[in-house]
Amino acid sequence: MAAPTNAVCIFKERPVGVPTKDTFDFQAAPMPEAKEGEVVVQATFISVDPYMRGRMTAAKSYVAGFQIGKPLAGGVAGVVVESKAESLKKGDAVVGFLGWAKYQAVSAKSLQKVDAKTIPIEKHLSSAQYSGLSSWLPIKYIGMPKKGEVAFVNAAAGAVGSCACQLLKIQGLTVVGCAGSAEKIKWLEGLGIKAFNYKDGKFSDLLAKHCPNGIDVAFDNVGGEQMEAILENMNNFGRVICCGMISQYNLEPEDMYGVKNLFHIIKKRLKLQGFIQSDWTGEKRAEAVKELVAWISQKKLITTETVVEGFEKIPEAFAGLFSGKNLGKMLVKV
């Protein structure tokens, strides 16, 4: 059997518009060895996410930008193949915020051991952890949903959007979602979500049609023109969870959409709040993980993943996020 070889994905250059293969560089690397307190992780799945586009610019943000010539990083699931730490042993399944490499030595403290037998390891990069927490924590603490209310979620067939739809439904809300293909609409409807294709007409008209009684809780992943329509259709004292703005990520500042009806925030006494997942730590985060795992086990939270096979296919998978090629979470299988 051939000895394993290592490779890393390097941030080669800052993209203009949608990242391409020229944004990334793949380089051979030596096989790592664990030092005391470390383990060597073999990556099995790498998560590519829209927010990473913001890390590719030179602008300051809530998380440090990627550095040219250095490995990119994000959510990684893998298996421990060497351990010099008491907390983890060879064969343990783990997830963590790691560099994009086939093999890497990291502190055991930076990893979370997960049960990959009850729930497939890739779910720990989606509904059981990353996407699930990015949905449930803001819904719980910002959206404050009440049974009988109306919720709207855009990019509803994406990793976070699909979780948000189902979690709001679990709370007893009427949920309306939108997506950009017949396949995605059919999948959402199969989950019991009322859904429409935002490409079927003028978005503001479609939203008003499908939410005739207004919106109490909105989970916005898109921003721009869709945010403007959301504000137009919000009910008094509504809550808008500002999760992402995928419609704006690849635009230069002067080309970004200017929302024109912000006066509704005052007129309707709305709450708009952005967040990052790490805003909630400790007991709140632990409780949320337990709730998510329980709903997954009970098949109340059903998610899917779009898996692109091959470490070298990271550029293709990442670009696919911005053209709607993913149903659910976009993952690269290493």
Side-chain angles (χ1 to χ4, degrees):
M1 187 175 179
T5 58
N6 196 17
V8 296
C9 181
I10 301 295
F11 185 41
K12 183 179 178 182
E13 63 182 35
R14 301 195 189 282
V16 177
V18 177
T20 68
K21 63 181 181 179
D22 294 330
T23 307
F24 310 88
D25 187 27
F26 295 88
Q27 298 180 5
M31 288 296 293
E33 294 182 2
K35 298 177 182 178
E36 196 63 34
E38 292 184 339
V39 299
V40 174
V41 177
Q42 179 183 4
T44 53
F45 289 94
I46 291 174
S47 173
V48 292
D49 302 285
Y51 84 89
M52 294 173 176
R53 179 61 181 83
R55 298 188 67 191
M56 293 179 175
T57 71
K60 290 184 178 181
S61 185
Y62 59 86
V63 62
F66 294 127
Q67 299 299 306
I68 293 175
K70 300 292 185 180
L72 291 101
V76 175
V79 178
V80 174
V81 294
E82 179 193 349
S83 177
K84 289 188 178 179
E86 292 183 3
S87 58
L88 293 170
K89 65 180 186 299
K90 186 176 180 179
D92 283 344
V94 293
V95 295
F97 195 85
L98 306 176
W100 288 357
K102 290 185 176 182
Y103 295 86
Q104 57 195 296
V106 296
S107 169
K109 293 180 180 179
S110 67
L111 300 170
Q112 180 180 351
K113 182 179 176 180
V114 297
D115 179 0
K117 294 179 180 178
T118 304
I119 298 174
I121 192 169
E122 60 267 28
K123 295 292 184 186
H124 291 280
L125 287 179
S126 59
S127 51
Q129 293 277 342
Y130 289 74
S131 307
L133 290 170
S134 292
S135 308
W136 179 225
L137 286 167
I139 286 173
K140 192 174 185 179
Y141 296 109
I142 299 174
M144 297 179 291
K146 302 178 183 67
K147 186 176 180 179
E149 290 186 322
V150 176
F152 171 70
V153 181
N154 52 19
V160 173
S162 59
C163 287
C165 284
Q166 294 174 81
L167 293 167
L168 287 159
K169 186 171 179 285
I170 289 170
Q171 301 307 302
L173 282 73
T174 297
V175 183
V176 178
C178 75
S181 73
E183 176 195 10
K184 292 179 178 181
I185 299 303
K186 183 178 180 180
W187 182 69
L188 287 166
E189 290 175 342
L191 298 174
I193 306 301
K194 298 178 180 179
F196 66 91
N197 190 329
Y198 69 86
K199 297 177 181 177
D200 283 348
K202 187 177 179 181
F203 183 78
S204 57
D205 293 340
L206 291 168
L207 186 59
K209 175 183 176 181
H210 290 277
C211 298
N213 297 316
I215 302 166
D216 300 296
V217 180
F219 198 106
D220 180 35
N221 295 298
V222 177
E225 187 177 358
Q226 290 198 17
M227 168 61 89
E228 189 169 273
I230 286 170
L231 294 178
E232 201 68 35
N233 286 276
M234 291 299 294
N235 290 328
N236 289 343
F237 303 103
R239 289 83 69 200
V240 181
I241 301 165
C242 302
C243 179
M245 295 191 178
I246 197 169
S247 68
Q248 308 297 297
Y249 290 156
N250 292 307
L251 301 178
E252 295 300 315
E254 62 271 19
D255 297 323
M256 291 182 177
Y257 188 90
V259 176
K260 304 175 183 67
N261 58 349
L262 294 176
F263 62 86
H264 281 308
I265 298 172
I266 300 170
K267 179 182 175 182
K268 299 181 180 181
R269 288 85 86 202
L270 303 177
K271 179 171 85 169
L272 280 74
Q273 185 174 334
F275 71 95
I276 55 175
Q277 192 192 104
S278 58
D279 289 341
W280 299 280
T281 58
E283 290 183 6
K284 287 183 178 180
R285 186 182 182 89
E287 180 185 45
V289 170
K290 288 180 181 178
E291 290 168 327
L292 290 167
V293 170
W295 287 324
I296 293 168
S297 301
Q298 296 162 9
K299 299 192 184 304
K300 291 182 178 179
L301 178 56
I302 299 170
T303 54
T304 188
E305 292 79 37
T306 298
V307 179
V308 177
E309 298 210 16
F311 185 67
E312 71 286 353
K313 293 294 184 69
I314 285 174
E316 176 184 316
F318 191 77
L321 291 169
F322 301 98
S323 57
K325 290 186 177 179
N326 61 303
L327 180 60
K329 184 76 168 179
M330 180 74 89
L331 297 173
V332 174
K333 185 175 182 180
V334 180

